[in-house]
Amino acid sequence: MKQGHFTIKENTRLTPTTWRMTLEGDTSAITAAGQFINIRLDGHFLRRPISVNDVEDGIVTIIYKVLGHGTEEMTSFAPGKTLDILTGLGNGYDLDKAGDRPLLIGGGVGIPPLYLAAKWLREKGCEVTVILGFNTSEEIYYVDEFSSLGCEVLVATADGSTGIRGFVTDAFDAAGGDFTHFYTCGPGPMLRAVYDKVFKTAGIAGQMSFEERMGCGFGACMGCSCKTITGYKRICKDGPVLRTEEILW
Amino acid sequence: MVKVDTKVTLCGIELDNPVIPASGTFGYGYEFAELYDINCLGTFSFKGTTGEARFGNETPRIAECPSGMLNAVGLQNPGVDAVISEELPKLAKVFNKPVMANVSGFSIDEYVTVTSKLEKEPQVGWLEINISCPNVHGGGMSFGTDPVMAGEVVSAVRKVTDKPLIVKLTPNVTNIAEMARACEAAGADGISLINTLLAMRIDLRSRRPLLRNTTGGYSGPAVFPVALRMVYQVSDAVSIPVIGMGGVSSAEDVIEMMMAGATAVEVGAANLVDPFASRNIIADLPGTMEKYGIRSLREIIGAAH
């Protein structure tokens, strides 16, 4: 973990409720896809934990959804503003477990960290399939970005307005490949459905990124603990990524 | 530049400075040692330790508030035996000062068992008996809201330790001075206060309490004036040293707490927002002392009385 000041380079709207921000600063603590950063905002006591979408030579990109006062305020930040940020938080995905044909499954606001995973998996030469789930077509973002990496992308919308009608699990049925491993991030109910279908039924092991309300974000307060088969874990420090074999629901 | 003296003496043990990260905000220390040399601290109070391992309450157990936060962690800890066999050896590698052991429990027997085990640990300098956790049922704060029960806990643990015994009090009482006096009469060597204020928040979308435990403890800068008032009252009521805490976030806050009567000052929620908070407060102390014409911190303890 490192604490540093980052300068906003870009802050743009991707969908009616989703924004992308790029920040310039010392990114050396960010070592794994699936890690997060924790941003201090004036007028708010706790920092805002947001997953890393991309990182390259001193530039970190985040994609955030407007969920409350803090993220609402972030949409008004102009380029040039500096932010106090803790970087390199959480374990992140272990990409060495991917095998040749990894599957990435992202739902809504859980999609951003999978982009960096996809990018690095492609660099390793993996054949990457990505399933992206949204409620409706106006919420869709980043399909082209995943495609540009050379991933096969399947889109599911709950209302059927684009792609496969239904959930990411319906898209998984349609994908039908023999995947070597999977990586996922998304809302709690989606994670449970993916666990049941992909791990329990299809027998593919994977890594799942969880979300929990955090105090510190670096393992000190025990605010975000969860129970696993291998003991109590802090989502912020021992997670947010857990292996399917250790998850207790 | 005139050399200022930040040293204080807490229950017979000299501290390089009065700054002590508070229990529950600093783990067992070694994780912060990855960030900076924690030997700059006066000492720190480690995570509240019980007889057996505890997960604590179900999540969510954190909520944000204006100028502070709620927690309902509920004393998650690995249990005293694991603390002694695993956590303290790791701490000894990175911290060469006496540490404050925070003892929690659900019965007088449990307080006595945990205390008697930690009593044998050479690195434990002080025992801080937590009779003030608002997030557990059937123990914790219930001992700290009744002067008779508080006295019973203190008398019982007093029999099994010769180390300095500090009792951590809850602000959720009508008469804090009466609680402090009961602890002093039962053999306490010091009083620390305040633990968190019992509070809650409601999620407007779900129309349900934000915390799974319904209530939690409020900490952060918002509670500082409440804490300061109670430290002032308690230091008037007892002759043993008082450790002030509650929303302390700066060197100015440390000095203000000491003027209210605190011999040492614990820093809590600030560590969670800025992992370097305690180190920065210590670094700021000499300059802040000079600004206010303070040569030695010892001379300002209780100055406001």
Side-chain angles (χ1 to χ4, degrees):
Chain A
M1 176 177 80
K2 275 195 178 171
Q3 182 175 27
H5 284 87
F6 285 71
T7 306
I8 297 173
K9 305 303 283 182
E10 178 214 5
N11 189 19
T12 51
R13 188 196 287 263
L14 298 178
T15 77
T17 57
T18 308
W19 291 64
R20 178 175 61 196
M21 186 184 282
T22 55
L23 297 142
E24 187 171 25
D26 177 2
T27 56
S28 60
I30 303 169
T31 55
Q35 286 184 317
F36 64 96
I37 65 175
N38 215 354
I39 305 174
R40 193 162 192 177
L41 302 178
D42 289 341
H44 296 275
F45 189 67
L46 296 175
R47 290 171 185 264
R48 295 301 186 268
I50 298 176
S51 64
V52 171
N53 168 246
D54 197 5
V55 64
E56 208 150 318
D57 302 338
I59 301 278
V60 58
T61 304
I62 57 170
I63 291 176
Y64 60 98
K65 185 169 183 175
V66 177
L67 289 169
H69 298 301
T71 40
E72 174 74 51
E73 226 170 273
M74 282 171 62
T75 64
S76 69
F77 292 173
K81 182 180 171 66
T82 60
L83 295 171
D84 168 358
I85 301 180
L86 302 176
T87 54
L89 302 174
N91 57 354
Y93 295 113
D94 179 357
L95 300 185
D96 291 339
K97 298 268 194 300
D100 302 337
R101 290 212 57 199
L103 171 66
L104 275 52
I105 305 172
V109 72
I111 289 168
L114 294 173
Y115 178 77
L116 185 57
K119 184 171 134 181
W120 286 352
L121 287 167
R122 288 294 297 148
E123 283 171 12
K124 283 158 68 87
C126 301
E127 202 177 308
V128 179
T129 302
V130 183
I131 295 174
L132 303 177
F134 304 92
N135 287 314
T136 181
S137 51
E138 74 164 7
E139 293 179 5
I140 292 176
Y141 66 98
Y142 257 56
V143 172
D144 293 344
E145 282 81 354
F146 278 101
S147 296
S148 300
L149 294 174
C151 303
E152 187 191 342
V153 184
L154 284 85
V155 173
T157 51
D159 67 357
S161 50
T162 299
I164 295 155
R165 176 186 293 272
F167 299 112
V168 293
T169 42
D170 298 305
F172 174 73
D173 288 335
D178 52 342
F179 300 108
T180 47
H181 198 69
F182 79 92
Y183 299 91
T184 189
C185 184
M190 185 205 95
L191 293 183
R192 183 63 208 259
V194 166
Y195 175 89
D196 287 341
K197 173 140 257 171
V198 183
F199 177 59
K200 282 293 179 192
T201 307
I204 303 165
Q207 299 173 45
M208 316 187 73
S209 182
F210 287 82
E211 196 172 52
E212 186 51 79
R213 279 183 183 265
M214 292 177 186
C216 62
F218 53 88
C221 73
M222 311 302 236
C224 61
S225 298
C226 69
K227 294 168 185 163
T228 74
I229 288 168
T230 49
Y232 303 154
K233 298 214 164 179
R234 296 159 295 183
I235 291 295
C236 70
K237 174 108 182 181
D238 310 309
V241 176
L242 300 178
R243 291 173 294 113
T244 41
E245 299 85 350
E246 64 183 339
I247 294 167
L248 274 178
W249 295 96
Chain B
M1 188 171 134
V2 186
K3 181 100 175 88
V4 295
D5 183 5
T6 61
K7 287 188 170 62
V8 294
T9 303
L10 180 62
C11 305
I13 303 173
E14 188 172 85
L15 304 178
D16 291 333
N17 62 69
V19 177
I20 304 172
S23 181
T25 66
F26 215 70
Y28 292 92
Y30 52 85
E31 288 186 321
F32 282 81
E34 292 171 13
L35 304 175
Y36 63 90
D37 181 0
I38 62 172
N39 288 296
C40 69
L41 303 169
T43 180
F44 74 94
S45 181
F46 66 55
K47 178 75 186 152
T49 297
T50 52
E52 305 296 328
R54 281 179 56 80
F55 176 72
N57 293 314
E58 295 301 317
T59 56
R61 50 196 200 185
I62 298 288
E64 192 177 48
C65 301
S67 234
M69 62 183 282
L70 301 186
N71 93 82
V73 170
L75 296 174
Q76 180 177 349
N77 79 96
V80 64
D81 293 335
V83 167
I84 289 169
S85 64
E86 289 164 34
E87 309 291 342
L88 292 183
K90 279 194 249 181
L91 174 64
K93 290 183 187 147
V94 293
F95 191 56
N96 56 32
K97 293 179 172 182
V99 70
M100 190 177 288
N102 187 282
V103 176
S104 298
F106 292 81
S107 66
I108 290 178
D109 281 351
E110 186 174 6
Y111 281 107
V112 167
T113 304
V114 176
T115 301
S116 54
K117 288 180 175 177
L118 290 168
E119 156 73 16
K120 299 187 188 80
E121 291 304 307
Q123 197 171 6
V124 171
W126 309 259
L127 291 147
E128 183 179 52
I129 310 299
N130 175 12
I131 55 168
S132 46
C133 178
N135 296 322
V136 297
H137 304 281
M141 195 175 81
S142 58
F143 288 107
T145 51
D146 175 351
V148 175
M149 283 176 75
E152 284 173 12
V153 174
V154 176
S155 300
V157 294
R158 179 75 283 171
K159 292 191 182 80
V160 297
T161 183
D162 294 323
K163 293 190 196 266
L165 201 59
I166 292 159
V167 185
K168 183 168 177 178
L169 295 182
T170 171
N172 304 305
V173 293
T174 310
N175 187 340
I176 193 76
E178 183 188 14
M179 294 301 308
R181 276 192 295 263
C183 295
E184 183 181 35
D189 298 306
I191 301 290
S192 62
L193 77 165
I194 58 173
N195 204 317
T196 54
L197 287 134
L198 192 61
M200 73 180 288
R201 302 231 50 190
I202 293 168
D203 181 68
L204 301 189
R205 289 193 182 91
S206 68
R207 306 180 180 191
R208 301 289 308 152
L210 235 163
L211 297 171
R212 186 78 170 270
N213 190 51
T214 304
T215 59
Y218 194 177
S219 61
V223 312
F224 178 77
V226 178
L228 191 78
R229 181 265 295 177
M230 289 191 159
V231 166
Y232 186 88
Q233 290 175 321
V234 165
S235 65
D236 252 350
V238 297
S239 55
I240 51 179
V242 175
I243 303 176
M245 78 185 95
V248 173
S249 316
S250 66
E252 269 93 355
D253 293 347
V254 169
I255 288 169
E256 197 171 344
M257 270 293 181
M258 295 186 77
M259 288 180 173
T263 295
V265 176
E266 293 190 24
V267 177
N271 295 308
L272 306 180
V273 179
D274 179 355
F276 300 95
S278 292
R279 184 196 66 175
N280 293 344
I281 290 170
I282 291 162
D284 288 345
L285 260 179
T288 310
M289 289 169 68
E290 274 192 65
K291 182 178 171 186
Y292 295 100
I294 301 163
R295 289 282 189 86
S296 160
L297 284 181
R298 285 190 176 100
E299 77 195 28
I300 62 160
I301 297 170
H305 290 261

